[in-house]
Amino acid sequence: MTNTHNGSHNPSSGSAELSERGHQPTPSELEDVVERVLSRARATQDRGAEAGHVLGGRARELAGETVHTGSDGEQFDLAERQSLRRVANLSTELEDITEVEYRELRLEKVVLAGLWTSGRAEDAENSLRELAALAETAGSEVLDGVIQRRSTPDPATYLGSGKALELKEIVAATGADTVVVDEELAPSQRRALEDVVKVKVIDRTGLILDIFAQHAKSKEGKAQVELAQLEYMLPRLRGWGGNLSRQAGGRAAAGEGIGSRGPGETKIELDRRRIRARMAKLKREIAAMKPAREAKRLNRRRHSVPSVAIAGYTNAGKSSLLNRLTDAGVLVENALFATLDPTVRKATTPDGIGYTLSDTVGFVRSLPTQLVEAFRSTLEEVADADLILHVVDGAHPDPEGQIRAVREVLADIQATTLPEIIVVNKADAADPFVIERLRNTYKNVAVVSAHTGAGIEELKDLIASSIPRPDHVLDLMVPYSDGDVVSRLHSWDAEILRTEYLAEGTHLLVKVREDLAGELARYVPEQPLEFSVADGAAEAAVPAGEPAADRP
């Protein structure tokens, strides 16, 4: 069992627990509470001096400041997001009306709680650190964290009864107003734990949904997030106060008599009905947006344009990599789930073959199933790709865990059979031994740094050799009057192997895709022509096993 504390303690706050026992605390009881809190803090400091705190200051994943490069562009979206910032230690009670002009929001003060049920202790601590990063991204200040060693979660309060009471003491000592649990809680577990700790309790799923709601920008993204939130909320509705009690007729309605008779439904049931109606409307809206995305995708297929999808763990550097490869200028921020809306950009290989590069939503361990379902239309960009760039944070303490989590989501959308390149990003900050371990463990690995640009050229060469390429070899004679054909052959859907200018026109040896081969058949001479110079080089460009006489 591991506890971590890094918030300030107020010993007098422990008297609240004693007051609930039915009497005013005596001086000896107060001293006992103070001694328990201080001894726990001293023990935590001793462990931190030896092995380091699980939580210390800002979350490890967000410890560094966001550093932009020239390929990231102007970053106007980031300036807009940071225009309403949140600060610590700011009271919500305005002492002066002019405080409104600062547009600052008070950070929620949270305490984290998780279970170590299997695996190594480091895995449980990494999970809690990731939860701290999620909490900070959502706009909160993490004060403390606790991990309990249990074989299975407690069916009543998720934590054991003793640990739940200890968590209550930590909440009182730190002055926290929220508890965040590192798993998805059943509605009954959430209510029972709130009854013990006396503050708001949210789970990992609710926290991730809140981040998605903050960062969604497009109409489709907002609809998808709202649908996921409603699916999560529906079984967790609960009524408060008499206005939500069951309606009844006659004197049974609190003696109201005539005029008090109602349909006999609770307000919570009416809320459920409204939620279901809203969910049905959102599903229709999302379905109506799908044809536009499919039309663009079918247009790329019709022109046989290869598609490359960037997938990976959140905050692994997918947007930075997209900016480095295409100068897309999409938002880059040192935060989890900074970008949600897919971005598709045109890119070319070093030898001029064109393809599309799409950035998708980041994945995370235990990604809520509601989000996977709601974002299924967006994730189809990954499932329909010809190649997946699986971006991994090489500086993370558990990169293999990131790879497993991403592949679990890829399995949900039937994308595990697609060709994959493991892109180990942040090589400038990664341990060389970790990089070598990843090279030896996985196939088709590229090591890059989207920040410095190291390894980007090697990655481009690897992409060029992995995407579908033009495979139909044509020997063409194009008249000078049809210069637009030559111009098209120099575009991104053909590969020119050899060029020669003759009196009759332009003599070309090219590789094209199947759809273009039919259009160019009329330029194939009846008798194959010989190149005046470097004939051997031209013939060597023809793939083995395909004689020149068999060319279309």
Side-chain angles (χ1 to χ4, degrees):
M1 182 169 63
T2 306
N3 292 336
T4 61
H5 305 269
N6 60 345
S8 60
H9 299 282
N10 180 12
S12 62
S13 60
S15 62
E17 176 189 355
L18 298 174
S19 299
E20 293 176 1
R21 298 175 182 173
H23 63 85
Q24 293 295 326
T26 63
S28 61
E29 289 174 331
L30 286 174
E31 291 177 0
D32 181 56
V33 171
V34 172
E35 180 58 31
R36 289 207 310 270
V37 172
L38 293 179
S39 63
R40 187 183 298 116
R42 284 193 296 268
T44 302
Q45 292 173 357
D46 294 340
R47 287 195 302 272
E50 297 176 1
H53 289 296
V54 175
L55 299 175
R58 197 177 182 194
R60 180 192 56 207
E61 284 83 350
L62 309 181
E65 295 296 329
T66 305
V67 180
H68 295 100
T69 61
S71 61
D72 291 332
E74 297 294 339
Q75 294 292 307
F76 293 117
D77 290 340
L78 181 60
E80 179 184 354
R81 177 173 294 179
Q82 293 180 344
S83 62
L84 182 61
R85 63 190 182 93
R86 303 188 179 197
V87 297
N89 303 320
L90 180 68
S91 173
T92 55
E93 296 296 330
L94 299 180
E95 297 178 1
D96 187 347
I97 193 63
T98 57
E99 291 183 14
V100 175
E101 298 302 321
Y102 289 99
R103 295 292 191 270
E104 294 175 334
L105 302 178
R106 182 182 65 87
L107 293 175
E108 283 188 75
K109 298 181 179 180
V110 303
V111 173
L112 311 180
L115 289 185
W116 171 21
T117 57
S118 61
R120 304 173 303 166
E122 291 81 0
D123 296 335
E125 292 177 357
N126 287 335
S127 180
L128 198 69
R129 290 190 181 101
E130 182 178 274
L131 186 67
L134 288 169
E136 289 191 11
T137 301
S140 63
E141 180 185 4
V142 179
L143 302 179
D144 213 334
V146 58
I147 299 176
Q148 182 184 19
R149 183 70 167 105
R150 285 181 65 94
S151 57
T152 58
D154 183 70
T157 60
Y158 180 74
L159 303 172
S161 57
K163 182 59 66 175
L165 291 174
E166 184 178 343
L167 181 62
K168 176 184 177 181
E169 293 181 1
I170 296 173
V171 168
T174 59
D177 48 31
T178 305
V179 169
V180 183
V181 178
D182 194 21
E183 288 292 343
E184 182 171 340
L185 297 178
S188 59
Q189 289 177 321
R190 179 180 173 183
R191 288 195 297 269
L193 191 58
E194 282 184 346
D195 291 340
V196 175
V197 299
K198 306 300 182 183
V199 295
K200 179 177 66 176
V201 175
I202 62 174
D203 56 15
R204 183 187 182 90
T205 300
L207 182 61
I208 294 176
L209 289 173
D210 184 81
I211 296 173
F212 272 61
Q214 292 182 45
H215 293 176
K217 297 285 290 183
S218 66
K219 181 179 179 181
E220 184 177 9
K222 292 179 179 179
Q224 290 168 332
V225 172
E226 184 180 355
L227 177 60
Q229 286 181 311
L230 292 177
E231 289 179 350
Y232 172 77
M233 186 190 306
L234 186 59
R236 292 170 173 81
L237 286 178
R238 42 184 181 169
W240 299 94
N243 62 318
L244 301 184
S245 60
R246 180 172 298 278
Q247 300 177 11
R251 298 184 179 277
E256 294 296 335
I258 297 174
S260 65
R261 296 175 178 85
E265 288 185 299
T266 59
K267 188 176 184 302
I268 194 171
E269 184 60 34
L270 296 176
D271 291 340
R272 289 194 184 103
R273 185 178 300 173
R274 293 191 185 98
I275 288 177
R276 293 190 185 100
R278 179 61 179 166
M279 289 172 59
K281 182 179 179 182
L282 288 172
K283 289 178 180 178
R284 291 194 299 269
E285 291 179 356
I286 294 173
M289 301 173 193
K290 188 176 181 180
R293 188 182 299 278
E294 288 185 343
K296 296 178 182 178
R297 193 180 300 129
L298 289 174
N299 188 50
R300 294 194 294 266
R301 288 179 182 172
R302 184 169 59 253
H303 292 91
S304 302
V305 179
S307 174
V308 179
I310 301 178
Y313 214 79
T314 180
N315 210 32
K318 299 183 297 301
S319 298
S320 298
L321 182 63
L322 177 68
N323 289 340
R324 178 66 68 172
L325 291 173
T326 65
D327 294 325
V330 299
L331 183 144
V332 173
E333 184 182 11
N334 186 24
L336 276 62
F337 302 111
T339 53
L340 301 181
D341 302 316
T343 303
V344 181
R345 291 291 185 271
K346 175 183 174 181
T348 56
T349 62
D351 55 352
I353 301 300
Y355 62 94
T356 60
L357 197 62
S358 58
D359 182 20
T360 58
V361 62
F363 304 147
V364 74
R365 183 186 65 85
S366 302
L367 189 68
T369 55
Q370 298 93 341
L371 284 173
V372 176
E373 291 300 322
F375 278 77
R376 186 167 294 277
S377 60
T378 301
L379 296 176
E380 287 176 357
E381 293 286 347
V382 179
D384 291 339
D386 297 303
L387 175 67
I388 295 178
L389 297 185
H390 183 165
V391 183
V392 182
D393 184 356
H396 193 272
D398 185 21
E400 290 88 353
Q402 288 192 350
I403 294 175
R404 287 193 300 271
V406 171
R407 286 182 171 174
E408 287 177 2
V409 181
L410 293 178
D412 291 339
I413 59 175
Q414 289 79 45
T416 55
T417 59
L418 298 176
E420 178 188 51
I421 298 177
I422 301 290
V423 182
V424 182
N425 193 22
K426 305 182 183 179
D428 54 323
D431 187 339
F433 294 101
V434 174
I435 293 177
E436 192 62 29
R437 187 179 71 213
L438 293 174
R439 286 186 182 274
N440 296 331
T441 304
Y442 301 98
K443 299 179 181 179
N444 219 15
V445 176
V447 179
V448 305
S449 171
H451 176 63
T452 63
I456 295 297
E457 296 304 321
E458 292 79 0
L459 175 61
K460 290 180 178 179
D461 293 335
L462 191 56
I463 294 174
S465 63
S466 302
I467 61 175
R469 301 176 65 87
D471 53 358
H472 284 63
V473 180
L474 296 179
D475 193 350
L476 306 175
M477 173 59 70
V478 182
Y480 289 118
S481 59
D482 294 342
D484 58 321
V485 175
V486 179
S487 177
R488 180 176 179 183
L489 290 174
H490 280 87
S491 65
W492 66 338
D493 57 353
E495 183 176 355
I496 298 178
L497 305 177
R498 199 72 187 145
T499 304
E500 184 180 33
Y501 299 99
L502 304 177
E504 311 88 69
T506 306
H507 183 200
L508 299 162
L509 183 66
V510 299
K511 282 185 179 180
V512 296
R513 306 189 191 279
E514 183 178 2
D515 60 328
L516 187 58
E519 298 179 20
L520 298 175
R522 60 194 178 97
Y523 297 106
V524 178
E526 295 181 0
Q527 297 295 330
L529 301 176
E530 297 289 340
F531 282 88
S532 59
V533 292
D535 294 30
E539 293 298 332
V542 180
E546 185 177 348
D550 293 341
R551 300 178 208 155

